[in-house]
Amino acid sequence: MSASSRSLNGLPSWGSRYQRLSQRMLDLSGDRGVLKDVIQEGSGELVTPDASVLVKYSGYLEHMDKPFDSNCFRKTPRLMKLGEDITLWGMELGLLSMRRGEVARFLFKPTYAYGMLGCPPLIPPNTTVLFEIELLDFLDSAESDKFCVLSAEQQDQFPLQKVLKVAATEREFGNYLFRQNRFYDAKVRYKRALLLLHRRSAPAEEQLLVETAKLLVLLNLSYTYLKLERPTMALRYGEQALVIDQKNTKALFRCGQVSWRAGTWE
């Protein structure tokens, strides 16, 4: 049998392969409208309902070997928020069943995919589609977004661990945006994290946790401003990092970078 006469994962392409495949798949929706087959197990927590996900995916029609939709060609997939950027109901249900690092295959009946009308010219009417999805990572900003709009007095009513968790989420979003070369957006997230930490007054025994969290954000801000070609701001945040840890090698390196690059911008 030639490679072209086989479907995904070596299943024969003749007959109704989706029907055969569906017989060994898990029913997620309760009406067999969303079926799942795990290819590679993931680890950690399940995707949360308000998460933004980082996924690789490819969508297939039953009698086509090439995907009608895929983001696997992108070097860095786009972060997509459930309920906003994910438009297929079946995909959202499927993602909520996944863990980081998991690879799974899903069958979506028309009700959970493109409906009775399909999506001409690619998707015929009333079509079941197959998606292979790899969950690279996910971030849940719902808790962070709600917390950041509270007043300083309201935030102070929460335990320190809550503040540290929200600040860490903001920094993680900043890190993702930075990796996508979206430096301005990354800066906004880092500054949100720093503002939360600056607002928090902690007892002496807890202050070390706050300062450690601040140091990570300050280093990121310094590097981000370097990328934005704003050496004065990069140096400011690098020096603030050195106030927390005078021997921090990254902070010393950042300040050195600023001094060297400033000459090239003059």
Side-chain angles (χ1 to χ4, degrees):
M1 183 182 295
S2 67
S4 61
S5 65
R6 286 183 174 270
S7 64
L8 298 174
N9 207 26
L11 293 173
S13 61
W14 57 75
S16 181
R17 51 181 169 172
Y18 281 10
Q19 287 183 3
R20 292 198 303 276
L21 180 61
S22 69
Q23 293 175 5
R24 59 184 176 85
M25 299 179 81
L26 176 67
D27 182 7
L28 292 183
S29 58
D31 59 0
R32 301 196 64 78
V34 179
L35 302 175
K36 177 182 180 181
D37 181 31
V38 177
I39 300 172
Q40 175 181 298
E41 296 284 350
S43 61
E45 300 176 351
L46 292 172
V47 172
T48 52
D50 294 304
S52 294
V53 296
L54 191 63
V55 298
K56 288 185 178 180
Y57 67 84
S58 294
Y60 297 86
L61 300 178
E62 185 167 5
H63 301 295
M64 296 178 65
D65 288 326
K66 291 184 178 181
F68 65 83
D69 186 20
S70 178
N71 72 341
C72 292
F73 62 89
R74 294 181 179 176
K75 184 177 181 181
T76 306
R78 182 172 63 91
L79 198 65
M80 298 184 292
K81 188 170 181 60
L82 297 182
E84 295 181 10
D85 302 312
I86 305 294
T87 57
L88 293 188
W89 185 16
M91 184 179 288
E92 184 152 342
L93 289 178
L95 286 166
L96 290 172
S97 74
M98 299 185 74
R99 306 176 191 274
R100 288 182 179 90
E102 182 177 333
V103 181
R105 178 185 292 121
F106 298 91
L107 281 177
F108 302 145
K109 294 291 180 64
T111 304
Y112 294 88
Y114 298 95
M116 299 298 292
L117 298 178
C119 187
L122 292 177
I123 314 297
N126 200 30
T127 299
T128 295
V129 294
L130 181 146
F131 271 81
E132 282 195 352
I133 301 175
E134 179 182 1
L135 178 63
L136 303 173
D137 200 1
F138 71 90
L139 297 168
D140 187 352
S141 66
E143 182 182 21
S144 173
D145 292 338
K146 292 176 183 176
F147 190 82
C148 288
V149 298
L150 299 176
S151 66
E153 292 76 15
Q154 291 172 317
Q155 291 177 3
D156 284 340
Q157 296 175 12
F158 290 87
L160 176 62
Q161 290 303 320
K162 171 82 169 183
V163 178
L164 294 175
K165 181 181 178 182
V166 171
T169 298
E170 289 297 313
R171 186 170 64 84
E172 288 170 4
F173 264 96
N175 290 346
Y176 169 78
L177 294 165
F178 186 96
R179 289 193 294 270
Q180 292 227 318
N181 296 324
R182 293 168 57 184
F183 303 122
Y184 181 85
D185 294 330
K187 177 201 70 172
V188 171
R189 288 289 186 172
Y190 292 143
K191 283 197 167 184
R192 281 179 65 171
L194 189 61
L195 178 60
L196 289 174
L197 296 168
H198 275 323
R199 281 181 176 179
R200 187 66 183 207
S201 56
E205 60 272 16
E206 295 182 338
Q207 190 60 34
L208 179 60
L209 295 174
V210 177
E211 294 300 303
T212 300
K214 280 184 185 178
L215 179 61
L216 294 174
V217 178
L218 290 168
L219 290 171
N220 289 348
L221 273 169
S222 181
Y223 195 26
T224 301
Y225 274 110
L226 270 177
K227 291 291 187 179
L228 291 169
E229 298 190 356
R230 296 182 60 184
T232 301
M233 294 299 295
L235 182 60
R236 177 184 300 176
Y237 286 111
E239 289 174 340
Q240 288 182 30
L242 287 173
V243 170
I244 297 174
D245 182 359
Q246 296 180 359
K247 298 181 180 179
N248 186 275
T249 53
K250 284 189 177 181
L252 291 168
F253 181 65
R254 292 282 179 268
C255 292
Q257 281 183 302
V258 173
S259 299
W260 180 79
R261 292 193 185 188
T264 67
W265 289 323
E266 290 177 355

